Amino acid sequence: MKPIYFKILVFHISMLAGGSGYAQASATANFKASATIIEPIGITTTSHMNFANIDARNGGTVILKPDNTRTATGGLELKEAANVSAATFLVTGQQEYSFNISLPQGSHQLRNGEKAMTIQDFTAELNQSSLGDGPATLMVGASLFVNPDQEPGIYKTVADLQVTVNYN
């Protein structure tokens, strides 16, 4: 019977040495929550694209650069540049945020009744790559393909062309 007595004695001694005999079952810590609402990104058209006056002659291409300059290839002759304008936009949003742009893809038509010309190859230029110094200015150019002896008149896109901006 000594071995049983010894085991019981050890159990009682360990209970006295350890305190209550129960381990702490939980602990508590505090935290706070926060959220920052950023200014939504926005884009506003400040001028529409205008290739201005063109003498079609034997046809060719007018390249309108984002800096409002244009060049002609083929037999085209460019007239009165006063109304030349790349499409221009003001991009607003959260300061210090960078963004990306999406330009129209593929070919689109400018129409005057049944007569048409094709616009494509859109290019862009930004005055800043983020909104760190306030709004950014985005300028968009494109290439216009003019047919030989294109019918005189004002040609416009049938549907709006879209530029999209998104935060990175």
Side-chain angles (χ1 to χ4, degrees), residues 27-113:
T28 303
N30 299 321
F31 69 95
K32 295 181 180 187
S34 66
T36 302
I37 306 300
I38 63 170
E39 183 179 342
I41 194 164
I43 185 168
T44 305
T45 305
T46 57
S47 70
H48 295 278
M49 186 177 287
N50 187 351
F51 286 88
N53 297 336
I54 304 164
D55 184 344
R57 298 185 182 215
N58 295 321
T61 304
V62 178
I63 300 169
L64 175 58
K65 295 181 182 175
D67 66 359
N68 294 322
T69 60
R70 63 187 177 153
T71 58
T73 65
L76 299 177
E77 189 173 320
L78 303 176
K79 302 288 185 178
E80 298 184 39
N83 294 327
V84 172
S85 176
T88 307
F89 307 89
L90 189 63
V91 180
T92 58
Q94 186 69 33
Q95 285 190 349
E96 304 304 322
Y97 273 52
S98 60
F99 59 93
N100 61 49
I101 58 172
S102 297
L103 300 174
Q105 298 295 310
S107 298
H108 303 271
Q109 288 190 338
L110 277 69
R111 299 193 70 77
N112 178 8

Side-chain angles (χ1 to χ4, degrees), residues 116-128:
M117 294 185 286
T118 301
I119 183 175
Q120 64 186 41
D121 302 328
F122 296 88
T123 59
E125 185 176 301
L126 278 167
N127 69 336
Q128 59 194 42

Side-chain angles (χ1 to χ4, degrees), residues 6 10 85 146 150:
F6 177 71
V10 170
S85 176
V146 181
Q150 187 78 48

